[in-house]
Amino acid sequence: MKAYESLDAFLEELPEHLEQLRGHDGLFRLETAEGRSWYVRLRDGDILVTQRETEPAGCTVRASEADLLALIAGRVSPMKLLVTRRVTAQGDVGQLMSLVLLMKK
């Protein structure tokens, strides 16, 4: 996976991965240790990134922006980040893991 300079850059390019994510539905929340957050909704083959949502996310991921970018780039494994508590996830973590694996293809 490509390295990004910021989560904003990754989220802007996320629709380019639409084919890999087709068939996966869910609402995810990304929260950084720096106090920023985004919602990523996958539904019916579409991706929508927003700053606010009216329903609770199925999975919430919390980490520093640097750790999230390292995860996206494949420089660190999701399990290592979870075990060392540099990333925490609440909700449907299985769905999140399947998405991480899809993104690496």
Side-chain angles (χ1 to χ4, degrees):
M1 181 56 103
K2 166 181 170 176
Y4 294 91
E5 291 187 25
S6 70
L7 282 173
D8 293 309
F10 168 71
L11 293 169
E12 285 176 19
E13 290 188 19
L14 194 56
E16 294 178 14
H17 301 282
L18 189 58
E19 280 304 310
Q20 294 159 285
L21 300 174
R22 195 171 301 281
H24 291 270
D25 293 338
L27 178 61
F28 300 89
R29 182 173 182 181
L30 300 176
E31 293 181 359
T32 68
E34 295 82 11
R36 300 181 69 207
S37 69
W38 302 264
Y39 288 90
V40 178
R41 178 180 294 284
L42 306 174
R43 185 183 340 188
D44 301 326
D46 288 325
I47 299 172
L48 177 65
V49 178
T50 62
Q51 298 258 286
R52 295 187 182 166
E53 194 49 62
T54 58
E55 63 185 85
C59 183
T60 299
V61 178
R62 292 179 185 91
S64 72
E65 187 165 350
D67 282 336
L68 289 172
L69 291 171
L71 175 65
I72 291 164
R75 293 190 310 264
V76 64
S77 78
M79 289 308 294
K80 180 177 182 176
L81 290 177
L82 287 167
V83 168
T84 60
R85 296 188 185 262
R86 289 171 45 197
V87 168
T88 61
Q90 293 177 316
D92 190 350
V93 179
Q95 186 179 21
L96 175 67
M97 294 301 284
S98 69
L99 288 174
V100 168
L101 293 174
L102 280 172
M103 295 294 292
K104 291 185 177 202
K105 290 184 179 179

